[in-house]
Amino acid sequence: MSKAKKINLTLKVWRQKDQNEIGRFETHPVKGISTDMSFLEMLDHLNQQIIHAGGDPIAFDSDCREGICGSCSTTINGNPHGPDRETATCQLHMRRFEDGQTIVVEPFRARAFPVIRDISVDRSALDRIIAAGGFVSVSTGNAQDANAIPISKESSDLAFDAAACIGCGACVAACKNASAMLFTSAKISQLALLPQGAVEKDRRARNMVAQMDREKFGNCTNTGACEAACPKGITLENMARMNRQFTSAWLTARVR
Amino acid sequence: MTSRSGFFSSSVGKKYLMGVTGAGLSLFVLAHMLGNMLLFVSPEAYNLYGHTLIHSKFIYFFEAGLIVLFLLHIIYGVTLTLQNRAARGYRTYLTTSGDKAVTFSSKTMIWTGTIVGVFTIIHLLNFKFGAYYEIVYDGVTVRDLQRLMLELFMSPWYVAWYVFAMLTMLFHLWHGVQSAFQSLGFRHPRYTPGIIKFGAVFAWIVGLGFMSQPLYVYFFLN
């Protein structure tokens, strides 16, 4: 039997029809929330309540609901993905909140993330950073024998840690400067640390940083808010690696 | 291939510039603080130190270097802040908190920096370009900066402002010193905890050192 309790909450949710409208907060009392619900299930529950009352449900992104897709993008009481470290909104459960609490729900805010509607934002700027160089462009042919290219355990672990980035954009939302450096550095690192990706690391670092700057993300000032907000535990070490690679690529480039 | 702008207009390049100029300025304030410590020794030691420094062959080289460091650090600091505010867009009335909070000093760099900048201008006007007294030691006429300092630090308000400004600089350095290492690409699980401690110790030594000087003059020399 479930040991779930039922709690009642007050939600202040950001409502915005489209990119051009000036948004506002809307207050909803939500009753009978099971503490076993995830935060997104609680939003579903609230939407049912709104629909039954004849209102317009809150738009928010979600997909896998198990912390691996990077779709959910909710700022909860000022914290992207809520109060807990290394937890995506979908993995956050209502037992984390207290009966009677007021919760402020906002989108992932940044100039580079225009609001599509309510909590849902357009994060395609991150996709364009990937398109600028976050890939291996050499033709690799068929899958090689697993032992053909030796890779140290340490490198593969570091690359995998960087590859854990789900591209949700919490780093941008948490940053007071709306900088996308943690995201970009994770994508640069995951490829540069492996022999297949290392071939193009100079070109990749320069092009991805250039695209990041073009997307009007802010500049990093090392507050570390991104690292603290990241649901996948991406570290600032990746950012230092990006800084090194970008600089050495720029210094050694034959063509400016 | 995409077009590329100059290194120092890229977000990474701007970080390097802030890191390098900040590191240079950090070394300057450390040296300045240590030099000032001679006021604890004797008026003569303090005045002769100033005399030697200002008559060094390299003084103009260092002064020009400092001006460049200050200007670059200020211009880029202000530009970064304006760009970053614009990038943030709608300002939430809530910011990250709890386990996801960031340090006070890292959030307030532009304000602590502004106060230190204003302080630096007043400081130059009051000391370098302030009243010129002279004193003779063994037949050598030197500027009596000790006398000027005693006069300025007679006012409790001046001392309070000085101490406040140095406390602000302490916070600026607290984030800035370790941040420079990160900006220059130096982060490693073995060294970073030490670097963060080093930044804090550096900030406290420089900050407390500078604060001790006007307080000593006010309470013990006047």
Side-chain angles (χ1 to χ4, degrees):
Chain A
M1 278 297 288
S2 168
K3 286 181 185 163
K5 287 194 301 179
K6 298 273 185 186
I7 56 170
N8 302 324
L9 296 168
T10 306
L11 258 72
K12 286 178 76 177
V13 189
W14 186 258
R15 302 306 300 265
Q16 188 173 338
K17 274 206 177 63
D18 56 44
Q19 197 182 326
N20 303 314
E21 201 210 37
I22 298 169
R24 66 190 195 289
F25 281 104
E26 204 172 77
T27 307
H28 290 280
V30 196
K31 291 203 161 56
I33 299 162
S34 160
T35 49
D36 277 354
M37 282 181 186
S38 76
F39 199 86
L40 296 177
E41 285 164 345
M42 185 276 295
L43 288 177
D44 292 335
H45 180 77
L46 168 60
N47 272 344
Q48 283 303 313
Q49 190 180 302
I50 294 173
I51 292 164
H52 282 303
D56 202 9
I58 299 153
F60 64 91
D61 287 325
S62 78
D63 190 15
C64 74
R65 300 209 173 194
E66 56 182 20
I68 55 166
C69 79
S71 293
C72 52
S73 52
T74 312
T75 302
I76 301 157
N77 288 339
N79 285 325
H81 292 308
D84 295 332
R85 282 197 174 222
E86 300 194 33
T87 306
T89 305
C90 58
Q91 300 167 298
L92 174 68
H93 283 77
M94 299 315 293
R95 63 185 77 94
R96 187 67 175 73
F97 299 91
E98 315 229 328
D99 190 29
Q101 201 179 335
T102 299
I103 305 174
V104 180
V105 183
E106 292 174 276
F108 277 4
R109 293 189 194 281
R111 179 176 55 174
F113 290 169
V115 171
I116 298 169
R117 192 181 175 86
D118 302 335
I119 308 301
S120 175
V121 296
D122 178 2
R123 286 167 283 180
S124 54
L126 298 182
D127 298 337
R128 290 189 291 273
I129 295 176
I130 297 289
F135 46 79
V136 174
S137 58
V138 289
S139 178
T140 52
N142 288 331
Q144 296 196 26
D145 184 77
N147 298 324
I149 306 171
I151 299 167
S152 74
K153 173 78 173 121
E154 196 173 51
S155 296
S156 73
D157 282 352
L158 285 172
F160 189 81
D161 287 348
C165 169
I166 52 178
C168 64
C171 43
V172 178
C175 177
K176 76 176 177 68
N177 310 321
S179 165
M181 274 206 177
L182 193 69
F183 166 81
T184 309
S185 70
K187 300 303 175 189
I188 284 176
S189 291
Q190 81 177 54
L191 294 167
L193 285 161
L194 298 175
Q196 295 89 340
V199 179
E200 292 174 282
K201 69 177 167 49
D202 285 6
R203 187 170 66 182
R204 180 181 305 116
R206 295 190 64 183
N207 288 344
M208 288 180 78
V209 169
Q211 186 62 34
M212 174 178 77
D213 292 348
R214 268 199 293 276
E215 296 291 346
K216 306 282 182 208
F217 286 106
N219 305 284
C220 169
T221 57
N222 299 332
T223 67
C226 50
E227 187 183 58
C230 179
K232 294 291 132 186
I234 303 296
T235 62
L236 295 176
E237 211 183 321
N238 293 295
M239 213 138 62
R241 183 179 296 108
M242 175 177 74
N243 294 351
R244 292 196 298 272
Q245 288 192 353
F246 178 82
T247 307
S248 80
W250 190 84
L251 285 172
T252 56
R254 287 175 184 271
V255 184
R256 287 269 151 86
Chain B
M1 207 168 286
T2 44
S3 70
R4 285 127 172 203
S5 44
F7 181 71
F8 290 114
S9 56
S10 75
S11 51
V12 175
K14 282 181 272 193
K15 274 184 120 166
Y16 263 80
L17 200 122
M18 288 306 276
V20 169
T21 54
L25 292 169
S26 300
L27 291 175
F28 163 69
V29 289
L30 177 69
H32 191 358
M33 185 277 289
L34 291 174
N36 283 7
M37 282 298 171
L38 287 169
L39 70 88
F40 287 96
V41 178
S42 71
E44 191 177 346
Y46 183 72
N47 281 333
L48 285 175
Y49 158 70
H51 183 78
T52 317
L53 203 63
I54 212 79
H55 288 89
S56 151
K57 270 187 283 186
F58 305 108
I59 189 66
Y60 291 113
F61 171 75
F62 276 107
E63 282 183 344
L66 275 175
I67 291 170
V68 171
L69 288 183
F70 265 105
L71 285 181
L72 284 176
H73 200 74
I74 292 167
I75 292 166
Y76 271 78
V78 171
T79 314
L80 282 168
T81 306
L82 295 176
Q83 286 175 347
N84 293 346
R85 293 244 166 112
R88 175 105 297 279
Y90 178 93
R91 187 71 217 165
T92 57
Y93 66 92
L94 292 173
T95 49
T96 53
S97 56
D99 281 351
K100 294 184 178 178
V102 297
T103 59
F104 169 79
S105 56
S106 76
K107 284 190 290 191
T108 51
M109 290 301 273
I110 186 66
W111 300 116
T112 50
T114 304
I115 293 169
V116 172
V118 170
F119 170 83
T120 308
I121 293 165
I122 296 173
H123 186 68
L124 282 172
L125 292 176
N126 287 344
F127 282 89
K128 187 165 177 63
F129 304 108
Y132 198 97
Y133 303 120
E134 286 183 336
I135 193 166
V136 180
Y137 295 117
D138 296 330
V140 185
T141 310
V142 304
R143 186 177 179 187
D144 195 355
L145 271 168
Q146 157 86 4
R147 186 175 153 196
L148 174 62
M149 183 179 69
L150 290 183
E151 280 181 11
L152 287 167
F153 290 155
M154 258 162 60
S155 156
W157 296 111
Y158 194 85
V159 172
W161 152 247
Y162 197 102
V163 169
F164 168 73
M166 291 304 99
L167 188 68
T168 336
M169 189 176 72
L170 190 161
F171 277 99
H172 198 77
L173 289 170
W174 201 344
H175 173 68
V177 172
Q178 57 90 15
S179 176
F181 283 89
Q182 164 73 5
S183 287
L184 299 176
F186 203 89
R187 194 177 191 92
H188 189 284
R190 263 171 64 203
Y191 304 112
T192 298
I195 290 170
I196 291 170
K197 280 193 200 100
F198 167 77
V201 169
F202 185 97
W204 278 92
I205 287 177
V206 172
L208 289 179
F210 271 127
M211 282 188 256
S212 71
Q213 293 152 359
L215 290 172
Y216 172 72
V217 173
Y218 182 76
F219 287 109
F220 299 103
L221 291 188
N222 272 316

